[in-house]
Amino acid sequence: MLYSNGLRRSFGALRSYSLYASTSTRRGLHYDGRNRLSNFWTPTQAKNKSHSGDEDGHDLLMRAGFLRQAHSGIFHLLPLGLRVQDKIERLIDKHMLKLGASKVSLSSLSSEELWQRSGRLEGRGSEFFRLQDRKEAKYLLSPTHEEEITTIVANAVHSYKDLPLRLYQVSRKYRDEARPRQGLLRGREFIMKDLYTFDLTEEQARQTYEAVRKAYSAFLDELTLPYLVASADSGNMGGKLSHEYHFASGKGEDIVIGCDTCDYSINEELYIGGHVEGTKRSVDAQVYQAVSKDRKELLQVLFPPGTELNLYAVKALFPALDSSVEDAVGTWLDAAKAHGSHGTRILLADPRVAGRLSEHDSLSNVPIASADQLLLIQFRTEVLESKLDGRQVSLTKAQHGEACPACSSGHLSLQKAVEIGHTFHLGTRYSEPLDLTVLDANNKQITVFMGCHGIGVSRIIGAVASLLADKKGLNWPMAVAPFGAMVVSTSGVPPEDVHAIYDELSTAGVDVAIDDRERPMGWKLNDADVVGYPFIVILGKGWAGRRMVELQCRKLGIKEDVGVKELPGKIAEYTARL
C-alpha cells in the first residue's frame, strides 16, 4: 500500500506510539521490539590503569565486552562479539549463495581412520586434540573437514549428472597451537568458513576455483578494508595452486611481496628471486650447510654477506634437502663412514657470489670439517646451478626495492600481513585415497576433482579490531559492526522522541540501537567510543529547541547537527566514505 508523505509520517508516529504504549517492563528490561542496551548485555570495563602503553585490538575486544578468555588460545564470544560474527557469516552466506553452494554443518569429531587413509595423520599428531570413546575408537577434534566431506560425497554422489557440487559450512575448528598468541589471530579454537567444491574435470575445477576467487574478492570488498591477494604455498593441504587473502598489518605473521608496477604478489614462503644478471658480485660469502634426507649428500650454499638465505629457493633447486638437521657435517660424515666411507658434496652458489664453482677454485676452501675428519672418507664434489626453468635466480630472501622477477621495470615492496582466507585447488589429493569417483557420460569410472576454500571468521574479528582501533576504542566497518548506529539522549528527552529517531533509521535499513541504560551521558558516549559503533546519534541541547540531532562519526571526524528526515541520507552518504 502506498502512502503520501504526510500519511506516512502520521502512520510512523502512530506506530511509534503503539509500540511505546505496549512496552512492558520487568526488572529494568523493556520489550517493544527495538534494540535496547538495557536488554543487551555489554559488560564493558574501565581501562586498567596499570596497563602500560596503548591498547591493541585484542585488549579492546576484551575491555569492550566482545569476548572473554577461557584458557590459553580459547575464547568465549559475548553478545557484541556474536553479533559481529553473525554479520560476517551472513555476508559469507550471501556470496556462497551466488556461487550455488549449499550450507551444511559437519560434526566437530572426525575419525582418525579417515585421516590415516588420506595420509595427513602421520607426523602431525601434536597439532590435534585427540580422544577416544569408551569402545576405544579414536577421534580428533577437526581442524578442517576434507576427509569427512569427501567421504560423505563419495557415498552419495555416483554420476557425472550430480556435478558440479559446492558445499560449505561455518563451524568451530581446533588446532593445538604450541604458542597461541594475539588473541583471535592465532587461537586453539576458532570459527571458520570452509567451502568444498567437486567437479568432473580438471578444467571445470579450475573454472570453479576462479569463480571462488571472485566471490572472495566481492566478500572482502564489502568490508571496505584494503586487502592483499598473494600466490601461496599449499602446504599439507595438497595441490599446487593456492592463493592467500590478507589484511596488511604490522601484527601479521606473513610477509606479502608485491610489485609497484605489475600485479605480481606472492607470499614470502613461495618467493624465488628473479633478475640477477649484471648485478654486483661479492668476493666474500656466507655459507649454509645442510644434509640430504638420505644423509648421503652434503649441500653447501654460498650467498652474499648481509643477506638472508631463502630456503624455499634452495629446496626448489635441491628437493632432497633436510633443513631440520643441526649438525649437517657430522651427520654426513657418520653416514659416509657407515656406507663404505663414500659421500657426495654438492656446491651451490648465488649468482652474485664471485668465482666459478669447481673443486679447484676458492670454493674448495669452504670449511666442511677438519682435515683429519676428511681423511677418513672419500667424497666427490658436484656443482649445482642456481637456475630454475632455464632462468638464473638468486638464493636470498626478497629485499625492499629490488627488481621484480615478473617484469623488467618494477620494484618489490614487502608488507606484513594477517591471513584471513585461503583458496586451494586440490585436484585429486583427497578423492583418490578416499575413493571419490563417478560414472561419466561414457559409463567410465573417473576420479572427481576437488577444491577447498577457507575464510577465518573469528580471525577477521581480531584482524579488523587490530587494524581500525585508535586511542579511544574500536572502529567497526558498517557491514559488520555490532550496531551501525547508537541513539543516545539526555534525561529530559521524551521516550517517544527517541523511538521516532530509532524508527526513522530502522525503516531506512540502518541497524540501530538505543542506549537507554541509567548512566550519565558522558559515560554512554565514552562507552560507545570504546565499543566502536560507526555512528552515534545524540538527542541533546539541539533537540528541544530546533529538533536537530547531533550526528557523530569518529572515523571520519564528523560532528554535525542534522534534521530527523535528513538523518538516514546523511548516514548513507558517510557510510559510502567509511
Side-chain angles (χ1 to χ4, degrees):
M1 182 179 294
L2 299 177
Y3 298 91
S4 69
N5 288 338
L7 284 174
R8 184 167 16 153
R9 283 196 293 269
S10 299
F11 180 78
L14 178 62
R15 174 178 175 272
S16 174
Y17 172 77
S18 299
L19 287 172
Y20 173 66
S22 64
T23 297
S24 61
T25 62
R26 180 176 62 83
R27 297 181 184 176
L29 299 182
H30 302 261
Y31 306 98
D32 64 357
R34 298 182 178 92
N35 295 318
R36 297 171 171 276
L37 293 193
S38 59
N39 295 353
F40 194 83
W41 191 44
T42 57
T44 50
Q45 299 171 331
K47 185 176 182 179
N48 189 342
K49 293 181 180 180
S50 64
H51 191 284
S52 59
D54 294 334
E55 295 172 294
D56 62 18
H58 177 65
D59 296 329
L60 286 165
L61 284 172
M62 298 281 284
R63 186 159 77 86
F66 284 78
L67 53 89
R68 291 291 184 266
Q69 182 165 336
H71 309 284
S72 175
I74 300 174
F75 298 90
H76 300 305
L77 278 182
L78 304 187
L80 284 171
L82 189 58
R83 277 189 72 88
V84 175
Q85 177 183 300
D86 287 345
K87 287 189 174 183
I88 295 172
E89 186 171 346
R90 287 201 293 272
L91 271 182
I92 288 171
D93 289 341
K94 170 184 170 181
H95 292 284
M96 292 300 100
L97 183 63
K98 290 181 178 180
L99 279 174
S102 299
K103 196 172 188 179
V104 298
S105 179
L106 305 183
S107 171
S108 294
L109 290 175
S110 184
S111 165
E112 281 197 9
E113 185 270 334
L114 286 179
W115 285 71
Q116 287 173 338
R117 285 178 60 190
S118 71
R120 287 209 297 174
L121 189 63
E122 298 306 319
R124 298 181 60 207
S126 61
E127 295 182 24
F128 301 129
F129 289 101
R130 304 170 82 162
L131 63 156
Q132 59 185 37
D133 64 14
R134 66 184 69 192
K135 297 179 181 179
E136 299 186 353
K138 295 181 179 180
Y139 298 92
L140 52 86
L141 294 178
S142 292
T144 183
H145 281 87
E146 283 74 22
E147 285 79 2
E148 295 289 348
I149 197 70
T150 304
T151 302
I152 291 171
V153 174
N155 291 329
V157 174
H158 307 291
S159 169
Y160 74 97
K161 295 179 181 179
D162 297 320
L163 299 179
L165 179 63
R166 298 168 182 178
L167 303 172
Y168 81 101
Q169 64 171 344
V170 179
S171 64
R172 292 182 181 272
K173 302 291 168 52
Y174 302 87
R175 189 170 298 139
D176 192 3
E177 291 283 354
R179 293 185 303 111
R181 54 200 178 278
Q182 299 191 57
L184 297 178
L185 295 185
R186 185 163 293 279
R188 298 198 292 168
E189 179 187 45
F190 48 95
I191 308 295
M192 185 173 177
K193 186 284 300 182
D194 39 332
L195 165 69
Y196 301 101
T197 62
F198 305 86
D199 286 280
L200 190 64
T201 67
E202 169 79 12
E203 181 182 0
Q204 291 170 355
R206 295 275 181 148
Q207 292 171 354
T208 295
Y209 184 86
E210 291 305 316
V212 174
R213 287 189 60 194
K214 290 179 181 178
Y216 270 39
S217 294
F219 163 75
L220 291 171
D221 287 342
E222 293 211 47
L223 297 181
T224 64
L225 290 170
Y227 62 91
L228 307 169
V229 182
S231 299
D233 184 6
S234 296
N236 58 43
M237 291 297 294
K240 295 182 179 180
L241 172 64
S242 72
H243 287 83
E244 291 174 346
Y245 303 78
H246 301 85
F247 291 143
S249 169
K251 294 182 177 296
E253 297 177 334
D254 291 292
I255 294 179
V256 176
I257 302 168
C259 176
D260 60 8
T261 301
C262 68
D263 60 358
Y264 179 79
S265 180
I266 195 168
N267 190 299
E268 185 185 45
E269 295 176 349
L270 206 63
Y271 174 78
I272 294 177
H275 306 299
V276 293
E277 292 81 358
T279 57
K280 185 179 179 180
R281 292 178 179 269
S282 170
V283 176
D284 299 321
Q286 301 181 78
V287 182
Y288 170 79
Q289 300 184 136
V291 69
S292 61
K293 294 173 184 176
D294 63 7
R295 310 302 189 243
K296 294 180 180 180
E297 297 171 310
L298 177 70
L299 177 70
Q300 288 187 293
V301 183
L302 279 74
F303 57 104
T307 62
E308 189 175 351
L309 185 67
N310 182 354
L311 271 180
Y312 181 83
V314 174
K315 288 181 178 179
L317 293 164
F318 188 69
L321 177 72
D322 185 348
S323 58
S324 66
V325 178
E326 293 185 8
D327 183 11
V329 172
T331 301
W332 176 67
L333 289 171
D334 290 342
K337 294 171 187 176
H339 292 89
S341 299
H342 291 280
T344 302
R345 174 193 184 197
I346 308 292
L347 295 178
L348 173 63
D350 185 281
R352 292 165 294 178
V353 175
R356 179 175 169 274
L357 283 176
S358 106
E359 293 179 76
H360 308 293
D361 64 18
S362 60
L363 291 179
S364 62
N365 297 320
V366 174
I368 303 177
S370 69
D372 292 339
Q373 287 177 303
L374 289 178
L375 288 174
L376 298 176
I377 70 165
Q378 297 176 4
F379 68 92
R380 60 190 178 88
T381 300
E382 294 181 359
V383 175
L384 182 62
E385 289 190 321
S386 56
K387 287 186 176 181
L388 285 172
D389 300 324
R391 181 173 62 94
Q392 202 169 42
V393 297
S394 67
L395 303 179
T396 56
K397 289 187 176 180
Q399 293 183 323
H400 190 82
E402 73 177 45
C404 171
C407 68
S408 58
S409 57
H411 296 86
L412 298 181
S413 62
L414 281 66
Q415 287 184 287
K416 280 191 171 184
V418 175
E419 180 188 346
I420 44 88
H422 207 141
T423 52
F424 297 90
H425 171 63
L426 298 175
T428 58
R429 164 65 182 85
Y430 297 93
S431 50
E432 279 189 356
L434 297 173
D435 300 322
L436 172 52
T437 62
V438 295
L439 288 174
D440 67 7
N442 299 315
N443 213 32
K444 180 183 176 182
Q445 207 79 22
I446 61 171
T447 304
V448 172
F449 289 85
M450 291 177 56
C452 70
H453 316 278
I455 291 176
V457 176
S458 51
R459 180 171 274 213
I460 286 178
I461 297 174
V464 171
S466 294
L467 281 172
L468 300 182
D470 61 22
K471 291 182 179 180
K472 287 190 174 182
L474 298 167
N475 258 315
W476 294 101
M478 195 69 167
V480 297
F483 294 103
M486 183 59 60
V487 179
V488 184
S489 65
T490 56
S491 57
V493 176
E496 54 267 31
D497 289 359
V498 176
H499 297 166
I501 300 295
Y502 178 101
D503 294 342
E504 191 76 29
L505 292 176
S506 183
T507 300
V510 179
D511 184 22
V512 59
I514 301 169
D515 190 347
D516 59 343
R517 294 172 294 180
E518 296 181 1
R519 295 278 192 163
M521 171 69 84
W523 185 94
K524 291 181 181 181
L525 293 177
N526 180 69
D527 187 73
D529 280 339
V530 172
V531 173
Y533 307 112
F535 296 98
I536 303 173
V537 179
I538 302 171
L539 282 76
K541 295 179 181 178
W543 179 251
R546 298 181 291 121
R547 310 302 279 179
M548 303 284 281
V549 300
E550 182 180 303
L551 177 63
Q552 294 186 3
C553 177
R554 188 169 90 248
K555 189 176 179 183
L556 297 177
I558 289 170
K559 285 186 179 181
E560 65 174 293
D561 290 340
V562 179
V564 175
K565 294 304 176 185
E566 292 74 39
L567 183 59
K570 281 290 184 181
I571 289 180
E573 175 189 338
Y574 294 141
T575 296
R577 292 168 50 188
L578 285 175

